[in-house]
Amino acid sequence: MSVKIRLQRHGKKGKPYYWIVAADARSKRDGKYLEKLGAYNPNTNPATVELNVDGAVQWLQNGAQPTDTARAILSYKGAMLKNHLAGGVAKGALTEEQAEAKFNAWLDEKATKVMAKEAGLSEAQAKAKADALAAEKAVNEARIAAAAPVVEEEVTEEVTEEAQAEGEEVTASNEEE
């Protein structure tokens, strides 16, 4: 029996949600599975992945073959690295403590990268919101400015015509004197 680590689709149309499962290669995509290893939600940014790393490593050591997408997810969560380190321990190249220390250091580094991405996304979202507000204010000010000068120009023209008329009257009265 050939075992695959693959994704099993759940969720509604347009909003996929996947289970990461170990299943017989002959079973249907959403059919029977041997063990549920985790879940993957691509609808969030960054994508949410919950994975039983130890269970995935155990299946990998027993010969399960991950699909391409499942391999990427296992690499993202460190299951492939942990499997690699376990191979080194089995060969005697590393001790169990050294392998665990390397894995924990990798997890810490990965967590800082994910936090930096989340912070960058929230910062970019706040900047986009501020830019949209500034653009909206500029449009509103332009709209108000476009409406206000029309009224002032009419008033200014009337005042100018009255001033010219008064100026002519003053000139006429000066001439009469």
Side-chain angles (χ1 to χ4, degrees):
M1 174 171 84
S2 176
V3 176
K4 292 264 188 192
I5 297 177
R6 63 184 183 197
L7 301 181
Q8 195 176 66
R9 193 177 198 281
H10 293 276
K12 62 183 186 177
K13 182 169 49 170
K15 297 284 187 182
Y17 185 84
Y18 299 96
W19 286 356
I20 303 166
V21 297
D24 185 358
R26 297 170 292 180
S27 66
K28 297 178 183 178
R29 179 193 73 176
D30 298 337
K32 291 187 346 184
Y33 58 90
L34 301 170
E35 183 181 354
K36 179 180 174 186
L37 300 174
Y40 168 59
N41 184 3
N43 299 317
T44 59
N45 191 6
T48 306
V49 179
E50 301 163 9
L51 182 67
N52 177 4
V53 176
D54 295 327
V57 169
Q58 185 177 0
W59 278 106
L60 289 170
Q61 289 176 344
N62 288 337
Q65 295 298 313
T67 60
D68 293 338
T69 307
R71 182 182 305 276
I73 291 171
L74 293 176
S75 294
Y76 178 78
K77 292 304 277 187
M80 298 300 281
L81 175 66
K82 193 164 188 174
N83 184 39
H84 177 73
L85 292 173
V89 169
K91 291 178 182 177
L94 297 169
T95 64
E96 189 70 38
E97 293 80 25
Q98 290 174 330
E100 195 64 32
K102 284 186 177 188
F103 182 69
N104 288 333
W106 183 87
L107 282 178
D108 292 339
E109 182 182 335
K110 185 71 170 184
T112 56
K113 286 181 183 178
V114 170
M115 284 185 187
K117 181 177 182 182
E118 289 174 349
L121 288 172
S122 64
E123 186 176 303
Q125 188 178 24
K127 185 180 183 302
K129 193 173 185 179
D131 291 345
L133 181 63
E136 187 176 338
K137 282 184 180 180
V139 167
N140 286 341
E141 289 173 1
R143 190 177 299 140
I144 291 170
V150 172
V151 174
E152 291 177 14
E153 289 176 2
E154 294 174 1
V155 171
T156 306
E157 290 175 3
E158 292 174 4
V159 169
T160 306
E161 291 172 3
E162 291 175 7
Q164 289 175 352
E166 289 177 7
E168 292 174 3
E169 291 175 7
V170 170
T171 306
S173 63
N174 286 341
E175 291 174 358
E176 292 174 2
E177 292 176 3

